Amino acid sequence: MNAAIRAVVRACMYYELECTGIFRGYDGMIDGDYKKLHVRSVSKILGRGGTVLKSARSMGFMTKEGRQKAFENLQERGIDALITIGGNGTFTGAHIFQEEFGIPIIGIPGTIDNDLFGTDNTIGFDTACNTVVEAVDKIRDTANSHNRLFFVEVMGRDAGFIALRSGIATGAIAIMLPEEEMSIDGLIDVLEKGAASNKTSSIVIVAEGDANGGAYEVAQKVNAKYSHYETKVTVLGHIQRGGSPSHWDRVLASRMGVAAVEGLVNGKSDAMIGVINDKDEFTPFLEAISKKAMPNKEELRIAKILSI
Ligand code: F6P
């Protein structure tokens, strides 16, 4: 997200616009946590994980009073347009705010889950997948040396993008994700086929939002029926949300940051910027939040072919 913040600030300077950073997300907008940003305010943040603006979810913005206070703060400072970075919750709030107060807003998709409609990739997804791949490769080393079955839980509360991508990239024997249910019996079937063909190490990637439960639950259910393997569970957790961003994420965020500023300058509003098939596209907030992005069908297909 820092790369996007940097791009927004620098694009504003390029087009001779004033730019103010709002800290702590919508909460800061309500509390008046604002700071003028200049070209050098965003130096050396391109390679840093997290966000220098410390954005976070806000309960206050869900209330009419909170949004009214936020609007008054913007007016006081002469702020006449907004760029918000986040996911579904951020854009739902942005859409309501725009409807209520008529202030133009463009959203930039930033979530490791990649589950937003209107863009091929969201900021953070590639970096999170790389973190998972690095961790699973390390787990594979010990899985190889013993007859063990590993369950690795990755993030994705409602979405299996990280699970699918990292599963393909690490050669997982099975990938459990919310969008395509796999029963425990189906999973055992896959494991047995692997064992019959002398597979010596098996790693199952489980998205936290999988219908069978997280990795601990899946492991427990498998163990109850399939006890001749020693099972191990790793929950990767928040390491997926941090770290130095990949080159892909830095470029994507830079591109979206510039496109968001240019969109506002050209009268775009109430929409999310995305990159689809290498083209900048604006999708209305309402569409972005109401439609569901689905994992790539071709990737789902090849994952099955390759996991034998
Ligand atoms: O919504 C994105 C996400 O990364 C989910 O995959 C994950 O469940 C959640 O955020 C974690 O959020 P928090 O840091 O608030 O626990």
Side-chain angles (χ1 to χ4, degrees):
M1 291 194 192
N2 283 329
I5 294 165
R6 172 180 177 270
V8 167
V9 174
R10 299 242 163 129
C12 282
M13 302 299 110
Y14 182 85
Y15 289 107
E16 297 177 358
L17 303 166
E18 276 188 16
C19 185
T20 298
I22 302 173
F23 289 80
R24 297 182 296 107
Y26 292 135
D27 270 352
M29 207 161 131
I30 298 168
D31 302 343
D33 205 350
Y34 298 67
K35 192 178 161 199
K36 279 260 168 66
L37 299 176
H38 309 280
V39 180
R40 297 276 84 81
S41 324
V42 287
S43 293
K44 301 179 191 69
I45 65 168
L46 188 56
R48 280 167 56 190
T51 146
V52 290
L53 292 179
K54 304 192 186 313
S55 320
R57 298 182 178 112
S58 163
M59 301 308 280
F61 204 69
M62 290 182 192
T63 67
K64 176 82 196 194
E65 302 75 60
R67 293 193 296 274
Q68 179 66 41
K69 183 84 190 61
F71 178 65
E72 284 162 15
N73 275 332
L74 295 181
Q75 275 201 316
E76 220 172 87
R77 288 164 179 81
I79 296 171
D80 53 12
L82 279 174
I83 292 177
T84 57
I85 311 175
N88 237 293
T90 308
F91 300 154
T92 304
H95 175 69
I96 296 170
F97 194 66
Q98 155 115 32
E99 292 249 289
E100 286 174 344
F101 302 103
I103 192 157
I105 310 179
I106 292 294
I108 299 179
T111 162
I112 62 165
D113 289 357
N114 203 41
D115 58 347
L116 283 170
F117 180 85
T119 190
D120 291 340
N121 289 284
T122 55
I123 300 168
F125 172 58
D126 184 62
T127 304
C129 287
N130 288 339
T131 301
V132 174
V133 168
E134 198 186 331
V136 175
D137 282 350
K138 287 177 179 158
I139 290 170
R140 172 84 66 189
D141 289 342
T142 134
N144 266 333
S145 10
H146 316 275
N147 249 0
R148 288 170 163 184
L149 174 57
F150 277 85
F151 293 87
V152 181
E153 182 177 303
V154 300
M155 276 187 167
R157 204 173 10 215
D158 311 300
F161 288 85
I162 298 177
L164 178 61
R165 274 290 172 84
S166 59
I168 294 174
T170 57
I173 190 166
I175 305 166
M176 321 269 297
L177 55 161
E179 294 89 347
E180 211 185 56
E181 221 172 286
M182 182 193 263
S183 67
I184 297 297
D185 286 341
L187 173 59
I188 290 178
D189 201 41
V190 171
L191 296 173
E192 274 169 352
K193 281 192 186 124
S197 64
N198 295 329
K199 201 168 172 61
T200 53
S201 76
S202 295
I203 291 176
V204 178
I205 303 282
V206 185
E208 63 178 331
D210 175 67
N212 294 291
Y216 276 105
E217 250 180 278
V218 174
Q220 207 179 27
K221 288 176 188 164
V222 168
N223 228 295
K225 296 185 171 181
Y226 188 79
S227 54
H228 47 290
Y229 262 71
E230 189 191 348
T231 57
K232 296 280 173 193
V233 177
T234 305
V235 177
L236 292 180
H238 282 79
I239 63 161
Q240 294 160 94
R241 301 240 305 201
S244 179
S246 66
H247 109 278
W248 178 273
D249 271 332
R250 294 181 197 198
V251 174
L252 180 70
S254 300
R255 178 172 176 172
M256 286 176 170
V258 172
V261 173
E262 289 178 341
L264 281 176
V265 168
N266 294 322
K268 293 257 190 267
S269 176
D270 202 14
M272 182 194 89
I273 177 69
V275 177
I276 304 173
N277 290 332
D278 203 27
K279 269 186 68 191
D280 294 352
E281 304 276 1
F282 288 90
T283 301
F285 278 142
L286 262 188
E287 207 180 333
I289 57 187
S290 60
K291 292 192 177 162
K292 193 167 162 47
M294 292 298 281
N296 186 305
K297 282 206 173 90
E298 187 54 15
E299 289 178 6
L300 283 165
R301 193 179 74 83
I302 66 159
K304 285 192 193 116
I305 293 176
L306 297 176
S307 65
I308 50 171

